[in-house]
């Protein structure tokens, strides 16, 4: 088993139509306005940016995200990630009653040396840290949507 390999799936029920959810999730540079753990997103060009995240644990992760799929009709946003995390992440948005079911899938290899050294003893802590980050992201996005996409 590769202890530095992670696969995540998170589901968020959102009280807005898929087109609205897509519009917000498509603007990665705005994530720091509503997702507390996404500390910084620096656009490099129309399809690439550098992201810095930090959750409960005392370290930052930095990676370059490059758009590989942007499909509003299918409700899919997907990036390739390189840096402290190598892999991919994908949002898939589907109608759910009058709202949206946002599915976040991510598959990554951790390359950050500290996390690789602590891969075996820290695995459960790293997974819990990710879960906390995702819960905070959902709460932040709901508040952001309630305020009509304004900064929270």
């Amino acid at each position: 088993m590769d202890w530095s390999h992670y696969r995540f799936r998170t589901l968020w029920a959102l009280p807005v139509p898929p087109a609205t959810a897509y519009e917000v999730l498509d603007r990665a540079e705005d994530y720091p306005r509503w997702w507390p753990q996404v500390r910084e997103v620096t656009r490099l060009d129309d399809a690439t940016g550098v992201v810095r995240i930090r959750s409960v644990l005392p370290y930052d992760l930095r990676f370059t995200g490059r758009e590989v799929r942007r499909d509003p009709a299918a409700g899919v946003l997907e990036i390739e990630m390189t840096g402290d995390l190598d892999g991919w992440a994908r949002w898939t948005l589907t109608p759910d009653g009058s709202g949206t079911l946002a599915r976040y899938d991510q598959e990554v290899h951790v390359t950050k040396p500290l996390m690789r050294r602590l891969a075996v003893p820290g695995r459960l802590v790293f997974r819990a840290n990710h879960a906390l980050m995702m819960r905070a992201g959902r709460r932040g996005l709901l508040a952001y949507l309630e305020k009509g996409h304004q900064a929270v």
Side-chain angles (χ1 to χ4, degrees):
M1 175 174 187
D2 179 356
W3 292 97
S4 294
H5 180 260
Y6 291 86
R7 184 176 294 150
F8 300 104
R9 173 170 287 166
T10 305
L11 301 174
W12 292 355
L14 303 174
V16 295
T20 302
Y22 188 94
E23 175 188 325
V24 172
L25 293 171
D26 188 35
R27 292 193 314 263
E29 61 275 9
D30 287 347
Y31 282 29
R33 297 176 75 190
W34 55 266
W35 199 332
Q37 293 79 14
V38 179
R39 302 299 173 95
E40 184 178 15
V41 177
T42 305
R43 269 251 183 235
L44 300 177
D45 59 37
D46 287 345
T48 311
V50 177
V51 180
R52 181 174 63 90
I53 59 174
R54 182 180 189 141
S55 190
V56 176
L57 298 177
Y59 57 80
D60 288 354
L61 292 174
R62 285 183 172 79
F63 61 87
T64 299
R66 184 182 64 78
E67 175 186 304
V68 294
R69 184 170 179 201
R70 176 192 269 165
D71 187 342
V76 176
L77 293 162
E78 184 173 341
I79 64 168
E80 172 186 82
M81 305 162 71
T82 56
D84 291 338
L85 302 172
D86 284 348
W88 57 269
R90 179 187 316 117
W91 287 108
T92 306
L93 309 173
T94 55
D96 185 33
S98 62
T100 300
L101 182 62
R103 188 178 84 204
Y104 179 79
D105 292 294
Q106 182 182 49
E107 188 167 339
V108 294
H109 281 88
V110 176
T111 63
K112 188 172 184 82
L114 173 64
M115 288 184 69
R116 290 187 65 80
R117 280 194 296 280
L118 298 174
V120 174
R123 188 166 181 83
L124 290 177
V125 173
F126 297 155
R127 291 188 72 79
N129 190 59
H130 184 271
L132 289 170
M133 179 178 165
M134 295 305 292
R135 276 198 290 278
R138 180 177 179 273
R139 280 192 310 270
L141 180 55
L142 290 172
Y144 184 74
L145 291 168
E146 272 183 25
K147 294 183 187 262
H149 311 245
Q150 304 301 312
V152 292

